[in-house]
């Protein structure tokens, strides 16, 4: 934990930060959580349970039910039974339910934020200031669409809900990804079976309580917890649509499993985004964007700017500023409001990061890590950057999903585009320059679903998000996020 920050400039003063821990008293955890099916919590028919932990301390938080194929089947049956009544409600009535969820998230935002940090390891200021406000905003936004679906897609037949949606969400943004999936599905008139990630199930289960309090009819939303086996059972179940956010490897397996079944599918997968800094960019602003792009949420971000492309004339100046800025990052207790970089989500993810960083060193890249003390317990990794990286290095090609930045250089805009697009992924990119014409020129040529200009990691519920190539297909957010949950042929698929 970096308690002291010593500037590298001429001044010799040392700043000391007093700890500012967020209280966990607002969170009341049960010893054991069942599955949420047909409006009630129930013990799993599988008879299996698993322990979910706090990755910052490795201490257990609760036991959680592990759904087997029989449990998933019961959840899908409950969703199917609720379909006719839910679809039959006027859009204005469905909107009320979605709006209630949004209001409850606002009212209980601190409770959700603390639990999100306890179970996931991300800094409390990110859970509090980013994840929960955005999650509520998505529910508010789609509540507004629920009674306007007939006007949303001019020139097309009247849209109808697809039916039962199976939704599988990742561990890096548990609440936000739940909102991305649930809000448009419910507004469009679908029922849902949601499977949260096995390492971060607790906020989804707290959301189940909110769904009960909002009065949603039983079976409209069902939540089944478990690991890969549970997700596989949901993919194989008789649902009408699968929505998945997670790794490209698992996304490919889901694509194979659903091929030829008639199930709708949207995939939001991995990324290896390029953050491109031109010589005319405001360097101090760009440094902050680079830091936010890769160290936000410990780099556990599918659209993280994990490749930094710097135009050669400003490489040395930018590198110096980056190294100085890394020394100011505070690594440690995620519940401390001063913390910038929290805990890695799991031991397995930490080992993956360590293996890929070791490969970067072995392949000849130069590593830099700021000095800082890490807690003795929990899963931690120092903010890291590599220079001397080539396009062939694994750290330039593979998704690390951790606080690790690979830096490359370029001379011309054409070279920047070629290097940025030289990846199997295509989820996001960033461009830093004072020339508006160059931003537009780059945006037209970058094969990325989202291109940020002089900023990074900015999201809004009205704006669609999604990728190209091995980053998946389909869009979430905005009007585009409604379309995968609707059919326009006059009948549900």
């Amino acid at each position: 934990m970096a308690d002291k920050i010593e500037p590298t400039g001429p001044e010799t003063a040392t700043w000391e930060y007093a700890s500012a821990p967020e209280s966990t008293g607002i969170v009341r955890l049960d010893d054991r959580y069942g599955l949420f099916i047909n409006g009630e919590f129930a013990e799993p028919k599988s008879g299996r349970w698993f322990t979910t932990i706090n990755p910052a301390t490795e201490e257990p938080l609760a036991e959680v039910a592990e759904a087997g194929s029989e449990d998933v089947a019961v959840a899908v049956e409950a969703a199917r039974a609720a379909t006719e009544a839910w679809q039959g409600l006027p859009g204005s009535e469905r909107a009320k339910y979605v709006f209630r969820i949004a209001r409850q998230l606002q009212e209980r935002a601190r409770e959700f934020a603390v639990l999100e940090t306890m179970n996931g390891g991300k800094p409390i200021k990110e859970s509090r200031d980013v994840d929960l406000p955005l999650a509520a905003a998505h529910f508010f936004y789609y509540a507004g669409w629920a009674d306007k679906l007939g006007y949303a897609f001019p020139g097309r037949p009247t849209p109808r809900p697809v039916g039962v949606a199976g939704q599988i969400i990742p561990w890096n943004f548990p609440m936000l990804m739940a909102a991305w999936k649930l809000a448009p599905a419910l507004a469009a008139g679908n029922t849902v079976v949601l499977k949260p990630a096995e390492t971060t199930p607790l906020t989804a289960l707290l959301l189940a309580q909110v769904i009960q309090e909002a009065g949603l009819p039983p079976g409209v939303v069902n939540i089944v917890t478990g690991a890969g086996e549970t997700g596989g059972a949901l993919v194989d179940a008789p649902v009408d649509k699968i929505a998945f956010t997670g790794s490209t490897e698992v996304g490919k397996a889901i694509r194979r499993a659903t091929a030829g079944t008639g199930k709708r599918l949207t995939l939001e997968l991995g990324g290896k985004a390029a953050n491109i800094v031109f010589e005319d960019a405001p360097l101090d602003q760009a440094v902050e964007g680079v830091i936010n792009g890769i160290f936000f949420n410990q780099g556990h971000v599918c659209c993280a700017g994990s490749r930094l492309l710097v135009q050669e004339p400003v490489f040395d100046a930018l590198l110096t500023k980056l190294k100085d800025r890394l020394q100011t990052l505070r690594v440690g207790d995620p519940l401390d409001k001063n913390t910038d970089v929290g805990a890695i989500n799991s031991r397995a993810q930490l080992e993956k990061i360590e293996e890929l960083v070791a490969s970067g060193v072995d392949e000849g890249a130069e590593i830099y890590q700021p000095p800082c003390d890490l807690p003795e317990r929990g899963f931690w990794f120092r903010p890291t950057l590599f220079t001397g990286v080539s396009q062939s290095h694994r750290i330039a090609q593979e998704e690390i999903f951790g606080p690790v930045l690979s830096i490359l250089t370029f001379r011309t805009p054409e070279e920047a585009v070629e290097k940025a697009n030289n990846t199997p992924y295509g989820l996001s990119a960033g461009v830093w320059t004072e020339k508006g014409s160059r931003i537009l020129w780059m945006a037209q040529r970058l094969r990325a679903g989202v291109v940020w200009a002089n900023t990074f990691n900015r999201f809004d519920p009205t704006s669609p998000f999604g990728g190209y190539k091995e980053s998946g297909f389909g869009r979430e957010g905005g009007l585009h996020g409604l379309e995968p949950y609707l059919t326009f042929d006059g009948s549900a698929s």
Side-chain angles (χ1 to χ4, degrees):
M1 184 182 300
D3 292 323
K4 297 183 179 180
I5 301 172
E6 298 183 1
T8 57
E11 297 182 9
T12 58
T14 298
W15 297 282
E16 296 187 6
Y17 292 89
S19 62
E22 176 65 82
S23 171
T24 60
I26 195 171
V27 174
R28 297 179 181 177
L29 290 172
D30 295 337
D31 293 333
R32 176 176 278 196
Y33 290 87
L35 307 171
F36 184 68
I37 298 176
N38 207 30
E40 301 290 342
F41 285 94
E43 294 202 357
K45 295 182 182 297
S46 68
R48 298 193 299 267
W49 305 80
F50 64 95
T51 301
T52 187
I53 69 169
N54 182 336
T57 63
E58 301 181 63
E59 295 178 354
L61 295 173
E63 277 194 331
V64 179
E66 181 179 350
S69 57
E70 187 178 358
D71 296 297
V72 171
V74 172
V76 172
E77 289 171 6
R80 183 70 65 190
T83 299
E84 183 176 354
W86 182 245
Q87 293 180 358
L89 286 177
S92 58
E93 291 301 310
R94 288 200 306 272
K96 292 177 183 178
Y97 289 108
V98 180
F99 188 89
R100 286 175 199 158
I101 294 172
R103 288 292 293 125
Q104 285 274 46
L105 289 181
Q106 280 190 326
E107 291 171 5
R108 301 176 66 174
R110 182 165 167 251
E111 178 185 4
F112 271 95
V114 172
L115 183 57
E116 189 93 320
T117 288
M118 291 171 64
N119 202 194
K122 67 175 59 186
I124 184 63
K125 64 183 180 182
E126 294 178 6
S127 300
R128 178 195 65 200
D129 299 341
V130 179
D131 293 31
L132 262 298
L134 272 177
H138 275 78
F139 279 105
F140 277 125
Y141 174 74
Y142 284 109
W145 272 117
D147 63 345
K148 304 174 185 67
L149 299 177
Y151 308 97
F153 303 93
R156 303 178 71 174
T158 300
R160 289 171 48 84
V162 169
V164 178
Q167 302 179 327
I168 303 170
I169 59 175
W171 44 259
N172 55 336
F173 291 94
M175 272 305 300
L176 185 55
M177 293 299 100
W180 278 23
K181 298 286 190 293
L182 286 171
L186 296 176
N190 300 276
T191 58
V192 173
V193 179
L194 177 76
K195 193 206 86 69
E198 65 271 25
T199 60
T200 54
L202 294 183
T203 44
L205 295 168
L206 184 58
L207 180 61
Q209 297 177 20
V210 166
I211 288 168
Q212 284 180 320
E213 293 167 5
L216 264 73
V220 172
V221 175
N222 307 273
I223 299 176
V224 292
T225 46
E229 180 183 334
T230 305
L234 183 54
V235 169
D236 294 336
V239 298
D240 301 299
K241 172 182 168 51
I242 292 291
F244 172 77
T245 297
S247 72
T248 295
E249 179 184 3
V250 175
K252 289 179 178 179
I254 292 174
R255 187 71 177 112
R256 289 190 293 267
T258 57
T261 65
K263 295 175 184 176
R264 300 238 184 147
L265 179 64
T266 49
L267 299 172
E268 196 265 282
L269 308 175
K272 195 68 180 175
N275 216 350
I276 306 165
V277 179
F278 284 92
E279 60 182 337
D280 65 332
L283 291 190
D284 290 332
Q285 180 182 340
V287 165
E288 294 307 307
V290 171
I291 293 293
N292 176 56
I294 185 58
F295 300 119
F296 175 70
N297 197 25
Q298 298 77 252
H300 296 336
V301 185
C302 51
C303 56
S306 54
R307 290 182 300 148
L308 175 61
L309 306 184
V310 185
Q311 200 160 17
E312 286 185 359
V314 294
F315 171 76
D316 290 334
L318 186 67
L319 181 61
T320 297
K321 288 178 179 290
L322 269 177
K323 288 182 176 180
D324 286 348
R325 185 67 174 88
L326 254 64
Q327 294 182 46
T328 71
L329 294 179
R330 297 178 291 276
V331 183
D333 181 9
L335 285 167
D336 192 323
K337 302 180 190 71
N338 291 319
T339 294
D340 299 303
V341 181
I344 303 302
N345 182 260
S346 67
R347 184 177 299 279
Q349 184 59 33
L350 176 60
E351 290 172 353
K352 176 186 176 184
I353 295 168
E354 291 172 338
E355 191 270 330
L356 280 167
V357 167
S359 78
V361 174
D362 292 341
E363 291 177 349
E366 183 177 344
I367 189 173
Y368 173 80
Q369 294 176 319
C372 63
D373 297 326
L374 301 180
E376 294 182 1
R377 294 195 65 187
F379 312 127
W380 309 93
F381 200 84
R382 289 179 177 84
T384 301
L385 61 81
F386 278 101
T387 53
V389 180
S390 72
Q391 291 285 96
S392 62
H393 283 161
R394 288 181 63 196
I395 56 173
Q397 290 293 324
E398 298 183 29
E399 185 178 37
I400 300 174
F401 222 61
V404 182
L405 178 66
S406 299
I407 306 178
L408 301 90
T409 61
F410 68 92
R411 295 181 179 180
T412 66
E414 290 80 7
E415 183 184 358
V417 169
E418 183 176 353
K419 286 186 173 181
N421 289 340
N422 185 15
T423 171
Y425 300 106
L427 194 55
S428 63
V431 178
W432 298 83
T433 176
E434 288 188 344
K435 294 183 174 64
S437 59
R438 179 177 288 160
I439 291 170
L440 296 175
W441 189 92
M442 292 291 292
Q444 289 175 339
R445 290 160 177 78
L446 290 169
R447 293 296 291 168
V450 176
V451 179
W452 286 292
N454 293 324
T455 188
F456 209 91
N457 276 341
R458 298 296 178 187
F459 298 94
D460 188 278
T462 66
S463 179
F465 180 87
Y468 293 99
K469 300 186 286 188
E470 292 193 8
S471 290
F473 52 83
R475 293 294 181 265
E476 294 181 300
L479 184 59
H480 299 71
L482 277 173
E483 192 167 2
Y485 292 98
L486 295 168
T487 182
F488 296 87
D489 60 3
S491 63
S493 60

